[in-house]
């Protein structure tokens, strides 16, 4: 029996599973909530209300967004560049 050749070109990486997306969501949420709580604690200690909370919310959001982008876009590209079979 003849073997059917696969599509030409590099193989696409497998899409992330539902568990990987759930992990991204939980990590994204925790990346915002934890710095916000830390900012609130700093505000009560130093009396700098609302600056600690604001820094926690926006800083946590920016870092979480960067982390999700890296996981979904950058890491698959780097994996594909390292392994030419994919």
């Amino acid at each position: 029996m003849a073997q059917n050749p696969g599509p030409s070109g590099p193989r696409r990486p497998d899409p992330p599973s539902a568990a990987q997306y759930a992990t991204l969501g939980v990590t994204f949420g925790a990346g915002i909530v934890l710095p916000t709580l830390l900012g609130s604690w700093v505000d009560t200690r130093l009396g700098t209300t609302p600056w600690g909370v604001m820094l926690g919310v926006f800083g946590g959001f920016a870092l979480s967004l960067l982390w999700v982008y890296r996981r979904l876009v950058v890491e698959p590209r780097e994996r594909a560049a390292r392994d030419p079979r994919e």
Side-chain angles (χ1 to χ4, degrees):
M1 204 178 259
Q3 186 178 20
N4 292 334
S8 62
R11 197 182 98 209
R12 294 184 59 152
D14 294 330
S17 68
Q20 289 170 324
Y21 282 124
T23 302
L24 284 174
V26 168
T27 306
F28 185 78
I32 296 171
V33 169
L34 294 177
T36 303
L37 293 174
L38 179 65
S40 176
W41 180 79
V42 167
D43 280 343
T44 58
R45 293 287 184 188
L46 301 177
T48 57
T49 305
W51 298 107
V53 172
M54 288 175 51
L55 182 64
V57 168
F58 293 119
F61 179 75
L63 290 175
S64 292
L65 210 69
L66 183 65
W67 184 83
V68 168
Y69 176 78
R70 176 147 178 73
R71 291 287 307 236
L72 292 178
V73 176
V74 176
E75 285 181 8
R77 277 190 208 153
E78 290 174 349
R79 263 194 311 273
R82 276 194 310 259
D83 190 5
R85 293 178 293 155
E86 288 188 359

